[in-house]
Amino acid sequence: MSDPLDDADRAARHPHPALPAPTRRGFLKSAGAATGALATALPGTPAAAAPTTAAPPLPPPPRPAPPPRRITLTVNGARHELLVEARVTLLDALREHLALYGTKKGCDRGQCGACTVLVDGRRINSCLTLAVMQEDRAITTIEGLGRPGALHAMQAAFIEHDAFQCGYCTPGQICSAVALVQEARDGQASAITADLRQPAALDDDEIRERMSGNLCRCGAYPNIVKAVRVVAAIRPIA
Ligand code: FES
Ligand code: FES
């Protein structure tokens, strides 16, 4: 029950008659609410403690690696049984399992061509294929192209025309060049072949374009092109 005298006094002093006149009880209520809100916002007060959040779920444990597989690779005419994990590249299988170190690892990501080998006569980057994918294929590495005293024509041309300096890229260059000559003879066009109706003549531009996947840090390109051009003019080049 409110005091009628207080009510009359408040009404007389209230400047906005259209709004309800404030009461003492209403004032105390709103003041208490404001104080509580402030306490929750201030650090160090019990009400301001950080809200608890649920811990994120743990990631699932890693799956165990699949067991190694027994595969057979035919490399340079010889069959080899290997026990390899499915993730092993052909490049690593050649080098680490078969000790064929002629095939080089440059970038290990398909950018330099140092790892080029022939698979069924086609050149591929052996760092970009898995060994388990190459069963029942004929794989040829630089060791299988020729040997001392019986070099492949391309190997001999590289030596004769001084087509290397450090030699690191050379096995890949030679494998690539051997395939390149055959590709042109089979009528395969390159990105710059002008007339697609007939086999491209292997001029220097065609050779440069077709060898563009094989990088040489020593910059032996002019002599590499010369060696390939000379061999391309020979028929056949086995
Ligand atoms: S090592 Fe394969 S492309 Fe460079
Ligand atoms: S000869 Fe050295 S990288 Fe080609």
Side-chain angles (χ1 to χ4, degrees), residues 91 104-115 125-128:
L91 172 60
K104 297 293 188 279
K105 181 181 284 191
C107 63
D108 207 19
R109 58 180 63 186
Q111 293 178 343
C112 71
C115 65
N125 290 330
S126 59
C127 70
L128 291 185

Side-chain angles (χ1 to χ4, degrees), residues 39-162:
T40 57
L42 287 176
T45 60
T52 54
T53 54
L58 292 174
R63 287 191 297 178
R69 276 182 53 180
R70 191 166 297 283
I71 63 171
T72 303
L73 293 183
T74 304
V75 184
N76 300 331
R79 288 170 63 81
H80 301 273
E81 281 220 344
L82 286 73
L83 193 61
V84 294
E85 291 182 42
R87 62 180 175 171
V88 171
T89 63
L90 177 59
L91 172 60
D92 285 342
L94 292 172
R95 291 180 57 87
E96 310 301 334
H97 291 256
L98 300 178
L100 291 169
Y101 301 118
T103 305
K104 297 293 188 279
K105 181 181 284 191
C107 63
D108 207 19
R109 58 180 63 186
Q111 293 178 343
C112 71
C115 65
T116 305
V117 298
L118 306 178
V119 173
D120 290 342
R122 295 185 59 199
R123 49 182 169 166
I124 66 167
N125 290 330
S126 59
C127 70
L128 291 185
T129 186
L130 299 173
V132 296
M133 298 165 63
Q134 302 304 332
E135 284 193 282
D136 307 319
R137 306 272 177 85
I139 301 161
T140 305
T141 68
I142 190 69
E143 293 93 341
L145 278 180
R147 57 185 187 282
L151 294 179
H152 187 282
M154 194 66 77
Q155 292 171 311
F158 267 60
I159 294 171
E160 185 181 344
H161 297 285
D162 205 14

Side-chain angles (χ1 to χ4, degrees), residues 163-170 173 215-220 224:
F164 52 86
Q165 289 183 36
C166 77
Y168 196 82
C169 72
T170 309
Q173 301 274 6
L215 306 184
C216 175
R217 282 175 50 139
C218 299
I224 292 173

